[in-house]
Amino acid sequence: MNESFRQMVSAKREEQQTKRPLVLASVVIAMFMAAIEGTIVSTAMPGIVGDLGGFALYSWVFSAYLLMQSVTILIYGKLSDLYGRKPVFIIGIILFLIGSLLCGFAVSMKQLIIYRLIQGLGAGAVQPIATTIVGDMYSMEERAKIQGYLASVWGISAILGPLLGGFFVTYSHWSLVFWMNIPLGILSMIGVGKYLHENLEKKQVHIDYLGSLFVLVGVSALMVLLIQGGTAWPWNSWETYLLAILSASVLFWFVVHESKFPEPLMPVFLWRNKLISLSNAASLTNGAILIGISSFLPAYIQGVLEQPPVVAGFALTAMSIGWPIFSTIGGKLLLKVGFRPVASAGGIALIAGSIFFVLMDPSKGPVWAGAGSFLIGCGMGLTNTTYIVAIQNNVDWRTRGIATASNMFMRIVGSALGAAVLGGILNTRLSTYFENHGDKKVSLDAANILLDEEKRSRLSSTAIELMQHGLSFSLSDVYKGVLVLSVLSFLFSALLPKPPHKKTGDR
């Protein structure tokens, strides 16, 4: 009887053991869903704008999604440390799928932006918790390799995303861009729900809801200021000053609040670690670089070069082809040469890619844009893999969720602010160009026509030339901003300290 009891216990333990290959496959599906969201939506956006109108709100489609993602990502990271990765991950996917479903039914740009907020509410859990699950299941040496393999997801999504985005817009309807997430999310939930098992310590918890409110108000005010300033109202106006004061004061109180709260969203001790703080700072600039390329490159290729969505997608694809290749290389190299050399090499690649975009003009064609995208992807692969592995190796299980989330948070905030700043530059410069070179009746919404092939064909050659020159002129300043961000990213990478000899990443 004792032997039978022991067999039952052994069978029960075997049943409750996490099945790493199946969980990893489920995590890969979720990361693919998050990865393809970027390339497929960016490729489809010119077509969406051509259908719904509202070019002046172009950047808000990205900013709204990123804003809600940035606000919730720290909450999800903390909740995953308190309640486990599985329930938080599944709740996040459910919210993401609800938002995706609604996005496909949008009939106006404002409606689409509202639904993107819901989608971003769930997206805050998907990628960071997926990355944390991988960090839990594998050792530091395994982590470096797995993170490289996971990056191949970006390569696959980069090939399929532009193809599907261009196909849906051209031959079907852009709503499928969002609806294709639904079967992927369901598969991922089933795999993680059934095969991931966690042992949690029950304890009293304090959720920092006030801190979340501070982040929401502070970041939202800053984004509205950066996007609308110079277009909806002058920079030297009471609206500008009010939003600047509101954002600065609320974010200041967020820092004060976090230093006193027992379970803070952003633990102060993380920022005292030089490796983590520099990695997070570099992730902030990387996020802005990424959104600057992925959001506005399709508009340039379709609007200025008059190429179809599929060509725009392939130019963007080059970035995500370089990403997984050099992420895998970086994962192997950082074990041999350390974090700083690998991240610094990535910073140099980012600068090189940015220079390609600064020098871009219509005569160089989409191949030149693709080459710049590839170099940006190489830099992203080397840097982002290094930051995640370095951070996860410097914390224990109890703080790995929030540490990983803090890095993702900085990247998402960087993307949100990048979309706001660079979108603000685009709107301001385009408005100025139209005022100086065209009819005063020409507004930002004229770009809606430029991005719709059928409507564009009805315009005179003079009108098309005016709009194309204006868009090219405006985007050149956007890419100068990307170059400045790339230089900052390199400087942060070059300052990374050597990792400690003792590994603290295992539970």
Side-chain angles (χ1 to χ4, degrees):
M1 184 172 179
N2 289 337
E3 180 64 25
S4 176
F5 177 76
R6 281 196 296 271
Q7 289 178 353
M8 288 176 61
V9 171
S10 177
K12 187 69 175 176
R13 287 177 177 172
E14 180 67 25
E15 181 182 345
Q16 293 298 320
Q17 186 178 3
T18 293
K19 294 178 173 57
R20 295 202 307 181
L22 295 175
V23 174
L24 180 61
S26 302
V27 165
V28 165
I29 292 173
M31 295 190 75
F32 174 77
M33 182 176 69
I36 202 170
E37 179 71 12
T39 56
I40 197 171
V41 173
S42 296
T43 304
M45 267 308 296
I48 294 174
V49 171
D51 185 16
L52 301 181
F55 181 81
L57 300 174
Y58 189 104
S59 60
W60 272 112
V61 174
F62 301 97
S63 296
Y65 175 82
L66 295 168
L67 170 64
M68 194 54 65
Q69 194 176 5
S70 67
V71 171
T72 57
I73 194 170
L74 293 176
I75 300 175
Y76 288 131
K78 173 56 68 175
L79 290 175
S80 75
D81 287 337
L82 299 174
Y83 296 113
R85 323 301 187 202
K86 180 163 64 175
V88 178
F89 182 74
I90 290 175
I91 290 171
I93 290 183
I94 290 173
L95 291 171
F96 183 84
L97 296 185
I98 291 173
S100 298
L101 180 65
L102 292 173
C103 282
F105 288 115
V107 294
S108 69
M109 189 65 83
K110 291 181 180 178
Q111 214 174 78
L112 178 62
I113 291 169
I114 293 171
Y115 297 152
R116 286 281 280 176
L117 285 169
I118 299 173
Q119 196 181 28
L121 182 65
V126 177
Q127 191 173 353
I129 304 303
T131 306
T132 305
I133 290 172
V134 172
D136 291 341
M137 294 194 302
Y138 296 95
S139 67
M140 192 270 183
E141 288 77 10
E142 291 174 314
R143 238 176 265 150
K145 296 177 182 178
I146 293 295
Q147 292 291 350
Y149 297 150
L150 287 178
S152 64
V153 171
W154 293 90
I156 297 172
S157 69
I159 295 171
L160 292 180
L163 282 174
L164 291 174
F167 179 82
F168 291 152
V169 170
T170 305
Y171 301 107
S172 184
H173 193 265
W174 55 262
S175 59
L176 294 178
V177 164
F178 299 102
W179 290 346
M180 66 168 291
N181 292 325
I182 295 173
L184 298 174
I186 292 173
L187 282 174
S188 182
M189 282 193 294
I190 292 173
V192 171
K194 186 173 182 180
Y195 299 112
L196 176 64
H197 302 285
E198 302 173 293
N199 296 316
L200 299 173
E201 299 176 5
K202 293 184 179 180
K203 61 179 181 178
Q204 186 177 3
V205 298
H206 303 84
I207 305 302
D208 189 5
Y209 295 112
L210 182 58
S212 305
L213 180 61
F214 282 148
V215 173
L216 175 62
V217 175
V219 175
S220 297
L222 183 58
M223 287 175 61
V224 172
L225 166 63
L226 295 172
I227 292 178
Q228 302 297 100
T231 53
W233 56 72
W235 287 111
N236 185 21
S237 64
W238 68 267
E239 293 95 340
T240 299
Y241 297 132
L242 177 63
L243 287 170
I245 293 171
L246 176 63
S247 178
S249 58
V250 169
L251 292 176
F252 170 77
W253 282 110
F254 170 71
V255 175
V256 173
H257 172 75
E258 291 300 283
S259 65
K260 297 178 180 179
F261 197 78
E263 296 284 352
L265 285 177
M266 184 76 77
V268 176
F269 73 86
L270 288 177
W271 292 93
R272 292 177 183 149
N273 184 312
K274 186 178 179 182
L275 186 144
I276 293 177
S277 61
L278 285 170
S279 295
N280 286 347
S283 292
L284 180 79
T285 54
N286 276 13
I289 294 167
L290 185 60
I291 201 70
I293 303 301
S294 61
S295 298
F296 302 114
L297 182 59
Y300 181 89
I301 293 176
Q302 290 179 240
V304 178
L305 303 184
E306 298 186 20
Q307 297 293 329
V310 173
V311 174
F314 275 118
L316 196 59
T317 294
M319 177 169 60
S320 296
I321 291 176
W323 191 320
I325 293 173
F326 279 83
S327 183
T328 303
I329 293 172
K332 295 177 180 178
L333 282 178
L334 65 87
L335 295 173
K336 298 178 180 179
V337 301
F339 301 135
R340 184 167 55 194
V342 177
S344 297
I348 293 172
L350 291 175
I351 293 174
S354 300
I355 291 173
F356 263 74
F357 286 107
V358 170
L359 298 177
M360 182 169 62
D361 60 60
S363 65
K364 292 185 172 66
V367 175
W368 181 273
S373 293
F374 179 78
L375 287 171
I376 293 290
C378 296
M380 289 292 173
L382 290 171
T383 54
N384 290 331
T385 297
T386 301
Y387 302 146
I388 288 294
V389 174
I391 288 172
Q392 291 186 340
N393 193 49
N394 275 262
V395 295
D396 59 19
W397 187 92
R398 294 171 183 81
T399 53
R400 187 176 294 140
I402 188 59
T404 303
S406 71
N407 183 258
M408 297 283 183
F409 169 78
M410 294 301 289
R411 191 189 307 173
I412 297 303
V413 168
S415 293
L417 294 179
V421 173
L422 299 175
I425 291 173
L426 175 64
N427 287 346
T428 301
R429 301 301 284 165
L430 193 55
S431 295
T432 301
Y433 187 90
F434 286 159
E435 289 174 4
N436 294 337
H437 296 82
D439 191 323
K440 292 185 178 180
K441 296 180 180 179
V442 178
S443 67
L444 289 175
D445 287 332
N448 298 334
I449 301 174
L450 192 63
L451 297 177
D452 188 306
E453 185 177 357
E454 183 179 347
K455 295 177 182 177
R456 187 174 62 223
S457 63
R458 302 172 190 165
L459 295 175
S460 66
S461 58
T462 303
I464 293 176
E465 185 178 359
L466 169 67
M467 294 179 188
Q468 288 180 334
H469 284 176
L471 190 58
S472 179
F473 168 79
S474 306
L475 285 172
S476 67
D477 284 346
V478 169
Y479 293 128
K480 288 174 186 175
V482 170
L483 177 59
V484 172
L485 292 167
S486 299
V487 172
L488 288 174
S489 184
F490 168 74
L491 292 176
F492 291 136
S493 297
L495 292 173
L496 285 176
K498 293 182 179 180
H501 294 293
K502 182 181 179 180
K503 288 178 287 187
T504 59
D506 297 327
R507 185 173 178 178

